Amino acid sequence: MSQAPIGIFDSGVGGLSVWRQVVHHLPGETVLYLADQAHVPYGNRSAAEIQGHCLAITDHLVREGCKAIVVACNTASAVALQPLRQRFPQLPILGLEPAVKPAVAITRSGVVGVMATPATFQGELYRATVGRCAGSVQVVEQVCIGLADLVEQGQLEGPHCDATLRRFLDPMLAAGADTIVLGCTHYPFVIEAIRRLVGPGLAVLDPAPAVARHLGEVLEQQGLRLAPGALPAPPHRFLTTGEAAAFDRAVARLVGADCRSQALRWCRNPEGEAVLAPA
Ligand code: DGL
């Protein structure tokens, strides 16, 4: 049993779709959330650059005493999960990957659509999952450049949001997809708009609840799960490398939490490595 926080990070506000599930499924646990908004979006950046950010962020969360880490970003998981596990072999580190397996299990048309960033589709994790799970099911990959930015800007509805979503949804629908996988943690924040546009016959999958349940199992297995009510839980904390007041408003809007985030800045240590420090 450990009162240390669970660290969750993303390029921005997307990982809050995982945060809310973790908070819901694991009452009594405290979460330290870090949004790397100085670098959002990650999706168009090189693997080496994303890995560098993820290693420095995890170093910071470990220094803050986190007992487990959730890489609440499909893009970061695609390129950085292995190096992170190599650097921190004792630390439970969970990642996100597009929910291709459950989608393949429920499709009736035999066509599944996956929405994600370019870096996620280029990653080995995604390729391996499709290779292992798709079988005879056709997987239509839809790169959604700009969609995470819309969510960062708080544009979750309206004509521009609908038009952007239609551009991404139409090719998957035209290919016959009856199941859509949200392969980026930002996208669950536009799930209502997606459902309205595709209609009731299609399944739209958000992997966050399954990730939160899996995190609970991992903490139990490792003796790290705090029994609910055993000790008064310290409040959840939020860190951003962006602008704190804007992030606080986004947290309130997206997950209804009262947030007084602390701003961090990227700087260089004496060895010239990028590290995080209080702003
Ligand atoms: N939320 C991130 C993901 O799950 C991506 C957004 C970005 O491109 O930064 O892939």
Side-chain angles (χ1 to χ4, degrees):
M1 190 161 86
S2 162
Q3 215 187 358
I6 296 162
I8 298 184
F9 75 89
D10 178 43
S11 57
V13 298
L16 293 168
S17 65
V18 178
W19 178 93
R20 68 181 167 189
Q21 295 296 337
V22 168
V23 167
H24 174 72
H25 285 280
L26 305 177
E29 299 286 353
T30 295
V31 178
L32 176 56
Y33 185 91
L34 194 154
D36 186 15
Q37 291 181 301
H39 295 124
V40 70
Y42 275 3
N44 318 331
R45 295 179 188 273
S46 73
E49 188 184 352
I50 299 167
Q51 276 177 18
H53 300 327
C54 293
L55 286 165
I57 288 168
T58 306
D59 272 339
H60 188 82
L61 293 173
V62 167
R63 278 201 304 276
E64 289 270 4
C66 290
K67 63 183 174 183
I69 301 290
V70 182
V71 184
C73 175
N74 293 261
T75 307
S77 300
V79 298
L81 209 50
Q82 270 185 340
L84 286 176
R85 286 179 173 153
Q86 265 160 18
R87 180 173 310 186
F88 305 98
Q90 309 300 334
L91 187 69
I93 303 180
L94 275 66
L96 263 93
E97 62 175 303
V100 174
K101 192 175 173 191
V104 165
I106 63 170
T107 177
R108 280 162 295 141
S109 68
V111 184
V112 160
V114 181
M115 300 168 72
T117 67
T120 295
F121 286 131
Q122 283 152 20
E124 248 175 61
L125 192 62
Y126 173 77
R127 289 272 143 246
T129 305
V130 172
R132 207 174 52 244
C133 306
S136 60
V137 167
Q138 183 193 346
V139 180
V140 181
E141 293 163 10
Q142 181 60 53
V143 172
C144 298
I145 291 172
L147 188 50
D149 301 275
L150 279 192
V151 175
E152 284 293 317
Q153 293 153 13
Q155 291 195 44
L156 311 181
E157 53 188 19
H160 179 56
C161 181
D162 278 8
T164 305
L165 286 173
R166 266 195 201 290
R167 198 153 42 83
F168 299 138
L169 294 168
D170 283 350
M172 296 186 287
L173 299 180
D178 67 349
T179 308
I180 307 279
V181 174
L182 303 185
C184 167
T185 53
H186 281 73
Y187 305 166
F189 291 116
V190 286
I191 198 168
E192 294 313 325
I194 293 174
R195 287 202 169 120
R196 179 170 43 76
L197 292 169
V198 299
L202 267 83
V204 185
L205 304 188
D206 168 12
V211 171
R213 282 193 295 273
H214 181 52
L215 173 63
E217 287 159 13
V218 170
L219 293 180
E220 287 284 358
Q221 282 158 15
Q222 307 220 2
L224 294 170
R225 175 79 174 101
L226 197 62
L231 294 165
H236 303 299
R237 286 176 55 212
F238 298 88
L239 308 170
T240 178
T241 60
E243 212 250 296
F247 181 69
D248 293 352
R249 287 194 296 276
V251 173
R253 187 173 57 237
L254 295 173
V255 296
D258 180 22
C259 166
R260 309 275 151 82
S261 59
Q262 183 195 342
L264 298 177
R265 67 191 164 91
W266 285 99
C267 50
R268 299 259 160 209
N269 68 10
E271 288 75 45
E273 297 158 346
V275 291
L276 287 165

